[in-house]
């Protein structure tokens, strides 16, 4: 047995505990949820041992559920786009800072993650309340009440998800040699041309990673839509919560969760391929 074979065997053995942990905590619950989604349900008898596709047909044909899925999709897309528009320039400015300012502002970016999600949501509800600062300003401008609207949900989600966009983009920008940017300026390139043709293409991997993280977390977000959207602006996660804990229809809730998972995977894989092709074309 060669030394390389022995090292490979040891490496596989070292990853075995992690594989068991992943299988136990991720794959087994997911498989149980899939099985549960095919069970029949009766409001008088509860979950029945028989299997059916009724739950999936209900979700895919009922206009109520389709509207909620559409709302979840466009709110997730809007949140992701806003995070890109705000987070990418913020990451660029952060990457060009020098110490100690870089460390200070990086801590500012990460500081919201140190505060409870529920606390931040309640903070936004106070600000967006008709008697709050932003709520009263919106009323004075004739915009009406912001709280319990899609706008409130998007504002809260952007605040929560922004660090997950800034950090991947900042990491990608850290790998760019500053001399490349200076070389573009030496060739009489404008700042816009340098950013769009030199910096942006090399930051695409970070933007891709941040977008996937933000979109996935937003589409499955529960606390922000529940606290800032209320009963008016329901998203898929809040409907799953209602089915499990209010209606007690676990198979329907499981079916909704599985459809959301499959939709997320399909959208994220398609988006990833499009961005990767664009990245390869930009680099020649």
């Amino acid at each position: 047995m060669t030394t390389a074979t022995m090292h490979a065997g040891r490496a596989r053995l070292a990853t075995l505990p992690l594989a068991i942990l992943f299988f136990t905590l991720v794959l087994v619950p997911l498989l149980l949820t899939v099985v549960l989604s095919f069970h029949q349900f009766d409001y008088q008898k509860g979950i029945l041992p028989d299997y059916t596709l009724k739950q999936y047909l209900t979700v895919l044909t009922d206009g109520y559920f389709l509207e909620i899925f559409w709302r979840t999709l466009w709110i997730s897309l809007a949140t992701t786009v806003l995070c890109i528009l705000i987070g990418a320039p913020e990451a660029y400015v952060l990457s060009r800072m020098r110490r100690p300012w870089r460390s200070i502002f990086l801590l500012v970016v990460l500081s919201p993650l140190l505060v409870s999600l529920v606390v931040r949501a309640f903070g936004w509800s106070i600000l967006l309340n008709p008697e709050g600062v932003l709520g009263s300003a919106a009323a004075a401008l004739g915009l009406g009440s912001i709280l319990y609207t899609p706008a409130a949900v998007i504002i809260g989600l952007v605040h929560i998800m922004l660090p997950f966009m800034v950090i991947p983009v900042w990491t990608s920008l850290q790998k760019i040699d500053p001399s490349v940017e200076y070389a573009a300026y030496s060739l009489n390139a404008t700042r816009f041309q340098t950013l769009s043709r030199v910096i942006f293409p090399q930051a695409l991997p970070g933007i891709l990673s941040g977008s996937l993280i933000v979109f996935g977390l937003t589409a499955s977000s529960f606390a922000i839509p529940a606290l800032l959207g209320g009963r008016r602006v329901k998203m898929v996660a809040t409907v799953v919560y209602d089915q499990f804990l209010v209606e007690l229809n676990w198979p329907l809730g499981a079916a909704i969760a599985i459809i959301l998972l499959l939709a997320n995977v399909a959208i994220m894989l398609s988006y990833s391929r499009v961005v990767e092709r664009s990245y390869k074309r930009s680099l020649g």
Side-chain angles (χ1 to χ4, degrees):
M1 182 179 295
T2 64
T3 304
T5 306
M6 293 177 61
H7 284 304
R10 291 175 181 174
R12 295 192 190 96
L13 186 62
T15 59
L16 183 60
L18 294 177
I20 295 175
L21 186 66
F22 176 79
F23 181 80
T24 304
L25 298 181
V26 178
L27 294 184
V28 171
L30 182 59
L31 291 175
L32 292 176
T33 304
V34 172
V35 173
L36 177 62
S37 67
F38 287 103
H39 276 283
Q40 290 189 6
F41 177 80
D42 185 88
Y43 279 101
Q44 295 181 349
K45 300 179 181 180
I47 301 174
L48 302 177
D50 300 327
Y51 294 96
T52 179
L53 292 174
K54 180 182 178 181
Q55 317 297 344
Y56 288 92
L57 294 176
T58 299
V59 176
L60 297 176
T61 56
D62 194 321
Y64 171 75
F65 293 113
L66 294 177
E67 180 183 355
I68 290 175
F69 269 94
W70 168 246
R71 182 185 299 127
T72 302
L73 174 62
W74 76 259
I75 287 179
S76 301
L77 289 175
T79 302
T80 304
V81 171
L82 287 174
C83 284
I84 292 174
L85 295 177
I86 299 173
E90 185 176 344
Y92 175 75
V93 173
L94 187 64
S95 67
R96 293 298 177 263
M97 286 183 175
R98 297 181 179 180
R99 296 180 179 179
W101 297 109
R102 179 188 299 176
S103 301
I104 294 173
F105 278 89
L106 184 61
L107 182 61
V108 170
V109 171
L110 296 177
S111 59
L113 300 178
L114 304 178
V115 182
S116 170
L117 180 66
V118 177
V119 172
R120 284 180 284 173
F122 273 116
W124 276 112
S125 66
I126 294 173
L127 291 174
L128 298 175
N129 191 281
E131 298 179 357
V133 176
L134 297 180
S136 58
L141 294 174
L143 300 178
S145 177
I146 300 180
L147 192 61
Y148 305 132
T149 64
V153 175
I154 292 174
I155 291 173
L157 287 172
V158 169
H159 176 230
I160 300 298
M161 302 300 171
L162 193 58
F164 297 104
M165 177 63 68
V166 173
I167 299 305
V169 178
W170 177 71
T171 304
S172 293
L173 293 173
Q174 288 293 102
K175 300 177 182 178
I176 301 177
D177 190 349
S179 61
V180 175
E181 187 175 355
Y182 300 144
Y185 291 137
S186 68
L187 296 174
N188 295 325
T190 63
R191 179 173 291 274
F192 177 77
Q193 290 173 331
T194 303
L195 291 175
S196 60
R197 298 184 181 182
V198 179
I199 303 300
F200 177 75
Q202 297 186 69
L204 271 180
I207 295 176
L208 170 62
S209 301
S211 301
L212 295 178
I213 295 172
V214 170
F215 183 87
L217 293 177
T218 302
S220 58
S221 177
F222 168 75
I224 296 298
L227 295 174
L228 298 182
R231 309 304 296 179
R232 301 181 188 175
V233 187
K234 283 191 175 184
M235 292 177 64
V236 174
T238 56
V239 175
V240 173
Y241 174 88
D242 289 342
Q243 293 300 324
F244 270 92
L245 297 182
V246 178
E247 299 292 332
L248 300 180
N249 191 343
W250 289 18
L252 183 57
I256 297 172
I258 294 300
I259 292 175
L260 174 63
L261 174 63
L262 295 177
N264 271 345
V265 170
I267 293 173
M268 294 166 72
L269 287 178
S270 302
Y271 175 73
S272 177
R273 290 184 179 180
V274 171
V275 175
E276 286 179 356
R277 290 175 184 174
S278 176
Y279 175 66
K280 292 179 180 178
R281 285 197 302 267
S282 64
L283 296 181

